[in-house]
Amino acid sequence: MDSNANGVVAGSPAPERPPAASGPRRRNLLKLGAVVGTAGMVGALPRLLRAADLAAPALIQTRTKITIIWSPSALCLVVIGLAKRQGIFDKYGLDVDILDVGYDTTTVVQAVALGKADATSNFVLSMLKPLEGGFDMKLTAGTHGGCSILVASRAAGIATLQDLRGKRIGMKDLTSPMKMLYDIHLGRNGLPPDSYTWRQYPPDVFTIAVQKGEIDAFADGYPNAYFAIKRSNGTLFELAANGTGELGKRTCCALGISGRLIRDNRPAAAALTRAMVEASLAVDHNNFLAVEAAQFFSPRQVKPEELGEMIAAYPYDEERGCPTGEALRRQILWYAQGLKETGVLRSGTDPDQFTNRIVLDLLTS
């Protein structure tokens, strides 16, 4: 999960469609002028949640201090900003501090595993290898989907995934979870790793590298991918994304909670999980509040309606965006199997046993 550098992600011909609120991955946007009152919004949220999964816990008598570590440059993490601004953390008895560590997801995961922070929301594929190594953290809920987009050039003769054979794909970091994601996806669509080439470029020059013919496609997130497509006059388009198609059937980021917090204060860990799921559904149901919470993310001047279109592209719904329990376990297993196929996980790791070890259901147990 990157942003700016990674943003706030197929086999038939790709339709030409702008990154506006249209097409199958775009939810209906609430008119930005139709402001929903904060108190009314938070008060109405429980009716959106499944009672079996999110029944209100016993009241926590004392407010529990929680530190969430994140990269606020990632627009997809607006869910944390909304939960903070709209009092959802407070509702669950949590006094949340948010610690910004910039772009380094490795530092984020290490901080949680070492007990320097209590939780994070991060790209699933950035957490599985450290968890295989024994990092002390559990995954308790998905937080959203859709933060990685594979952008391709029509001028390079690309219309389907199969057209990537022999092509060059730009990536800001060759150890990025985005690369892992598309290696899995392309491999399962008949394109082994030796049939295409990854090339490392700074995200700000992806479009220039395409124009110069140095790369034919690139993987990135919002807002970079959004503006690259929007300003390309139809030359660039979304070839694949983890908000649509096969990749769009599962969360891309998940809530990781430190083992220490779970052992020492399981009710607080469960409350944090409930708060994050509620905030994810709030983003899904109220684009205006999400845009309001997201405005401090953007490193450039981005219009509110553009933020709204980007946020509307992320699945934050219950089935894909914020699964818990068995649904989350099945989705994490899909990723673990993919990392085993591509050689990221060790040959001796059993994906099913590994997934059972790292996924914890705090809402029904």
Side-chain angles (χ1 to χ4, degrees):
M1 175 211 62
D2 305 84
S3 157
N4 195 17
N6 172 22
V8 148
V9 248
S12 58
E16 181 174 353
R17 56 185 171 86
S22 61
R25 77 189 292 239
R26 311 297 171 187
R27 301 189 306 272
N28 291 330
L29 301 181
L30 295 179
K31 292 182 179 179
L32 295 180
V35 182
V36 177
T38 299
M41 181 61 191
V42 175
L45 277 173
R47 293 196 297 272
L48 304 174
L49 308 180
R50 296 176 295 187
D53 290 343
L54 297 173
L59 291 177
I60 300 175
Q61 298 300 316
T62 58
R63 290 169 59 77
T64 302
K65 192 78 169 178
I66 296 286
T67 299
I68 297 178
I69 190 168
W70 73 342
S71 175
S73 59
L75 181 59
C76 56
L77 291 183
V78 63
V79 61
I80 296 176
L82 186 143
K84 182 79 169 176
R85 289 171 65 100
Q86 300 302 323
I88 296 175
F89 290 137
D90 296 334
K91 171 184 173 181
Y92 285 92
L94 304 174
D95 180 9
V96 172
D97 282 338
I98 299 175
L99 178 62
D100 170 13
V101 293
Y103 299 103
D104 189 351
T105 57
T106 301
T107 300
V108 169
V109 176
Q110 288 176 342
V112 176
L114 295 174
K116 305 298 184 182
D118 298 300
T120 188
S121 176
N122 217 304
F123 211 142
V124 169
L125 287 171
S126 71
M127 296 190 281
L128 295 192
K129 187 63 179 177
L131 286 170
E132 182 193 36
F135 276 35
D136 187 19
M137 183 174 70
K138 301 292 185 184
L139 307 181
T140 66
T143 51
H144 64 83
C147 66
S148 180
I149 300 100
L150 183 59
V151 179
S153 169
R154 288 190 174 87
I158 300 173
T160 72
L161 282 180
Q162 301 307 316
D163 295 328
L164 288 176
R165 191 175 298 275
K167 296 296 194 291
R168 301 149 301 175
I169 309 172
M171 171 61 63
K172 77 155 189 173
D173 180 354
L174 297 185
T175 64
S176 166
M178 281 197 197
K179 178 181 179 295
M180 298 178 196
L181 176 70
Y182 291 113
D183 279 339
I184 294 170
H185 188 50
L186 294 177
R188 289 178 174 177
N189 281 274
L191 293 172
D194 61 359
S195 65
Y196 53 90
T197 303
W198 291 101
R199 290 196 172 177
Q200 188 166 351
Y201 283 85
D204 289 344
V205 303
F206 280 155
T207 56
I208 298 173
V210 170
Q211 292 166 2
K212 289 184 174 182
E214 296 175 4
I215 57 175
D216 310 294
F218 59 88
D220 205 349
Y222 286 162
N224 278 358
Y226 173 91
F227 287 114
I229 294 172
K230 186 173 183 177
R231 296 167 180 169
S232 71
N233 294 319
T235 302
L236 299 178
F237 69 101
E238 180 186 292
L239 179 63
N242 61 1
T244 63
E246 176 61 31
L247 293 178
K249 295 178 181 179
R250 54 193 57 82
T251 190
C252 66
C253 290
L255 175 65
I257 301 181
S258 73
R260 177 191 53 77
L261 178 64
I262 293 169
R263 291 187 295 273
D264 294 349
N265 196 339
R266 191 180 181 98
L272 178 60
T273 302
R274 288 185 170 92
M276 286 291 287
V277 172
E278 182 167 326
S280 292
L281 295 180
V283 172
D284 190 64
H285 288 271
N286 195 306
N287 190 260
F288 179 86
L289 291 181
V291 169
E292 185 181 58
Q295 301 220 30
F296 68 93
F297 280 83
S298 180
R300 66 182 95 186
Q301 292 297 318
V302 180
K303 299 175 183 177
E305 58 267 28
E306 293 172 330
L307 281 174
E309 289 171 0
M310 293 182 223
I311 293 169
Y314 297 118
Y316 287 93
D317 56 275
E318 291 172 275
E319 298 304 320
R320 298 177 298 165
C322 48
T324 58
E326 176 58 20
L328 177 64
R329 192 199 72 81
R330 289 194 303 269
Q331 293 193 20
I332 300 303
L333 176 60
W334 186 93
Y335 286 114
Q337 290 169 335
L339 292 185
K340 181 73 175 289
E341 292 167 10
T342 55
V344 175
L345 294 186
R346 294 190 294 262
S347 60
T349 295
D350 180 281
D352 200 65
Q353 293 179 3
F354 171 60
T355 301
N356 291 340
R357 175 171 65 83
I358 65 173
V359 174
L360 180 64
D361 184 359
L362 288 174
L363 302 187
T364 60
S365 60

